[in-house]
Amino acid sequence: GAGVSQTPSNKVTEKGKYVELRCDPISGHTALYWYRQSLGQGPEFLIYFQGTGAADDSGLPNDRFFAVRPEGSVSTLKIQRTERGDSAVYLCASSLAGPSSMNEQFFGPGTRLTVL
Amino acid sequence: QQQVKQSPQSLIVQKGGISIINCAYENTAFDYFPWYQQFPGKGPALLIAIRPDVSEKKEGRFTISFNKSAKQFSLHIMDSQPGDSATYFCAASNPLYNFNKFYFGSGTKLNVKP
């Protein structure tokens, strides 16, 4: 079956612009995660959705970052007034629901965002 | 403040050799320790994981060794192959959360020479 997909694969924008990054999780996965991966670093947690609600958004760096998941499936990460420091690969992952640590997170290929 | 520290940053191993990557953590509440493998242009993929109630877990050529008292865990890749060349990340999660809020290490870029 299809894995997690993310679009676009690459996004180049200018400082100050607004961008939207899309994630399509694996069908049936109610848990969805966004991470940010800077060059040479491990993924850094941004936000976690359980269904339609953001259960934990403590990793969002500031109020320029916002994410939605209105129907409990596709999610969009929105970044306002982009800054050069926002340049990174944004990863999305999904998993089955529940608190079990054995619910594997499946990652998408990421969106590489470059802010000029 | 990095919750999980990983070393080395890069590693070169000859084909057939053993690759060893180390991670250390401070938060004793962590209770799940996965290793992820990432190829260029791809997202990380789960390789193997361990919980602190065991000291070792082996799956094929991949073994995790866990030292709870030292708060360290390591990945051993036996009989390393050129296809193993990738970036490896260790991670840890905290059961206080009702989901896997992973803290990742900074990654180790492994190059296995033919």
Side-chain angles (χ1 to χ4, degrees), chain A residues 10-17 19 21 35-41 44 46 61-62 64-65 77 79-91 111-116:
Chain A
N10 281 283
K11 176 70 177 179
V12 180
T13 190
E14 294 179 344
K15 179 176 180 293
K17 298 291 188 182
V19 297
L21 312 179
Y35 293 84
R36 179 168 68 176
Q37 187 173 22
S38 301
L39 191 63
Q41 298 297 316
E44 179 185 6
L46 295 178
N62 52 60
R64 295 186 298 105
F65 289 75
L77 178 66
I79 310 174
Q80 299 177 324
R81 304 183 304 279
T82 52
E83 300 178 356
R84 294 193 179 87
D86 298 336
S87 296
V89 174
Y90 289 82
L91 293 166
T111 293
R112 181 175 298 278
L113 175 66
T114 303
V115 182
L116 301 177

Side-chain angles (χ1 to χ4, degrees), chain B residues 56-114:
Chain B
E56 186 175 282
K57 183 175 181 180
K58 184 176 181 178
E59 290 183 0
R61 297 185 293 110
F62 301 93
T63 299
I64 299 179
S65 297
F66 187 84
N67 186 328
K68 188 173 182 178
S69 61
K71 293 183 287 187
Q72 295 176 347
F73 57 111
S74 60
L75 176 69
H76 292 61
I77 306 174
M78 312 300 287
D79 187 27
S80 299
Q81 300 297 311
D84 297 331
S85 297
T87 300
Y88 293 81
F89 295 95
C90 60
S93 70
N94 188 332
L96 293 179
Y97 298 95
N98 64 352
F99 68 100
N100 274 335
K101 186 172 185 177
F102 286 143
Y103 296 89
F104 282 87
S106 55
T108 296
K109 189 170 184 178
L110 172 65
N111 185 4
V112 181
K113 297 284 192 183

Side-chain angles (χ1 to χ4, degrees), chain A residues 44-97:
Chain A
E44 179 185 6
F45 170 81
L46 295 178
I47 187 169
Y48 159 67
F49 285 91
Q50 180 55 50
T52 59
D56 188 322
D57 63 359
S58 63
L60 295 178
N62 52 60
D63 61 6
R64 295 186 298 105
F65 289 75
F66 189 71
V68 296
R69 196 185 184 200
E71 297 178 357
S73 179
V74 170
S75 176
T76 304
L77 178 66
K78 308 181 180 192
I79 310 174
Q80 299 177 324
R81 304 183 304 279
T82 52
E83 300 178 356
R84 294 193 179 87
D86 298 336
S87 296
V89 174
Y90 289 82
L91 293 166
C92 175
S94 70
S95 73
L96 292 170

Side-chain angles (χ1 to χ4, degrees), chain B residues 19-32:
Chain B
S19 304
I20 302 175
I21 304 170
N22 301 298
C23 284
Y25 64 96
E26 287 298 323
N27 189 343
T28 55
F30 287 150
D31 81 335
Y32 179 63

